[in-house]
Amino acid sequence: MLSDLLRRRRPGHALEAAFYTSDEVFAQDLAVIFGRHWIHVGVEADVPEPGDFVAVNLGGESVVIVRGDDQEIRAFHNVCRHRGSRLVMEAQGSVGNLVCPYHQWTYDLEGRLISALHMQPDFDPSCHGLKPVHLRSLAGLLFLCLAPEAAPGFDAMAEVMEPYLSPHNLRNTKIAHQTDLVERGNWKLVMENNRECYHCNASHPELTIPLFEYGFGTYPETAAPEHREMAAQYQLAEAEFTGIWSACGLPSAEVDRLADVTGFRTMRLPITEAGESHTLDTRAASRRLLGNFTQARMGGLSFWTQPNSWHHFMADHAVTFCVLPIGPEETLVRTRWLVHQDAVEGRDYSIENLTQVWQATNDQDRSLVERTAAGVRSSAYEPGPYSQQTEGLVDKFIDWYTNRLREHCPA
Ligand code: FES
Ligand SMILES: [Fe+2]
C-alpha cells in the first residue's frame, strides 16, 4: 500500500489522507524516518552535570541520554542486558550509576556492566554493556541516530552550522522553561505547518510582532501588491541587519540543504522595531546576553532540520523545538527556552516575557494542526496544491520525506 501511495504522490500537492492516518504508514515513518536518520531530541543543557540523564521516546524506542564523569554525553538503549527491563522510567533524573531496578545489574555512565550479583564464574560482564545509540552534539543541540550505521551527512551539516551557531554559545546556557504539547495530528502535519508562514498573518498576532512573514518560504520579491509595503520594510531591515551581522563577523546567508539525507536550512533574519528578540516588545527577554554578544540588536538566527526540528537563536536567548511522533494521529512538540546559565530568573528575565510569543504561537499552531487532522480524515478530503510563492519549503519537506521512504521501502 505504501508503494502505491508513494507512486501516486502528485508533486506540488499535499499528501493523501493515509499518510496522516494509517498505522502502516506510521510504522514505516518510525522505522525509516525516525529509525534511520539524525533526529533532534534535546540540548546539552538537558544534562548539565555528570550523572544527569533524560529518557527520550524515539521511533518506538526508549533511549537514555546521560552525561558521564568525563563530561561526555552518551546515549544508550533503555534496556537492561539481563532480562530487558527498562533501566529508568523517569523522564529525567540524576544517578551515580545506572542500576536496573529488577535484579540490580549496575552499569557505569559509559554503559559498562560493573556489577551483576549471583552470576556464574564464566559470565563475562564485558559482553553485557548497554547498547549504545549514535549521539552527536551540534554546538549544544543533541541529535540521535538509531540505525546501526549512522545516516551520512552529520559532519557536513556541522561544518556549515558551527560558525552560525557558536556565537550563541548554547553550551553555556540553561533551560529556563520547557513545554510539552501533545497535538492530535500526525507529525507531518506539524512539520508542514512549520515550513510555511502563509498562515502567519491570519493566525499569529504575537509572532508577527517581532517577525516578518519573509524568510519562511515567502520571498519579498514575489510579494502581492497589498504586501509590497511590508516587503519593502523587510528589505530595508534586512539591509540594515546584514550590515550589523557582517560588522560582527556573523555568517548570515541562507543555506538550503533540505534535500540532503541529513537535510537542513539556515539563515539570519531581521527582527522588527527594537530588533532584539522574539518578545512582544521586540526587546531582549534576558538582560544577560549569550556568548560574547555586547548588544542585543542582532535579529535572529533560524535553523530548520529534516525531519523534526526548528530553532531560533537571538542575542539573549534561544528557542528550540523538537517534534516526536507518539501515534499515527498524536505528536509531541517539545519546546525549550534557553538563557545564559548565569542569568537569574526575576532579576535578568521573567518566564512570562521570555515565553509568551512562542507559547501563544505553539498553541495557535496546535489548533491549526488539529483542525487539519480532522479535515484529512473526512471522505471529501483530496490533496490540494501548494502555493508556489509561499509553500516551497513544505514541498521540500514532503519531497525529502517521500524520497527517504522510496529509498528504504521496496516498490
Ligand atoms: S532485568 Fe535488569 S537486572 Fe534483571
Ligand atoms: Fe505557525
Side-chain angles (χ1 to χ4, degrees), residues 222-359:
T222 59
E226 59 273 29
H227 283 210
R228 289 223 176 103
E229 198 184 315
M230 180 59 87
Q233 278 178 29
Y234 172 79
Q235 285 171 313
L236 272 178
E238 192 186 32
E240 187 213 330
F241 275 94
T242 302
I244 295 173
W245 298 325
S246 62
C248 297
L250 297 177
S252 64
E254 179 180 6
V255 178
D256 179 341
R257 302 274 291 269
L258 288 168
D260 290 7
V261 173
T262 300
F264 67 98
R265 175 173 175 265
T266 194
M267 67 189 299
R268 267 180 217 281
L269 290 167
I271 289 176
T272 63
E273 298 177 34
E276 297 179 358
S277 209
H278 292 180
T279 49
L280 288 182
D281 65 2
T282 70
R283 298 197 176 280
S286 174
R287 285 186 358 201
R288 185 76 167 85
L289 299 184
L290 302 178
N292 295 322
F293 288 118
T294 53
Q295 66 173 72
R297 187 173 167 75
M298 281 295 183
L301 168 68
S302 295
F303 176 43
W304 299 264
T305 71
Q306 312 282 43
N308 83 319
S309 78
W310 62 93
H311 315 264
H312 303 288
F313 308 89
M314 280 70 70
D316 69 315
H317 79 278
V319 200
T320 71
F321 302 80
C322 120
V323 171
L324 296 169
I326 298 171
E329 298 182 86
E330 204 176 20
T331 305
L332 174 69
V333 177
R334 183 164 285 166
T335 307
R336 295 166 171 92
W337 286 263
L338 302 163
V339 296
H340 192 285
Q341 68 181 5
D342 297 335
V344 177
E345 186 185 347
R347 185 190 74 188
D348 297 314
Y349 67 94
S350 81
I351 299 289
E352 192 192 354
N353 185 42
L354 179 72
T355 65
Q356 59 191 343
V357 164
W358 278 107
Q359 294 253 40

Side-chain angles (χ1 to χ4, degrees), residues 80 82-85 100 102-105:
C80 181
H82 179 217
R83 281 166 50 202
S85 168
C100 179
Y102 201 167
H103 314 94
Q104 288 73 52
W105 281 27

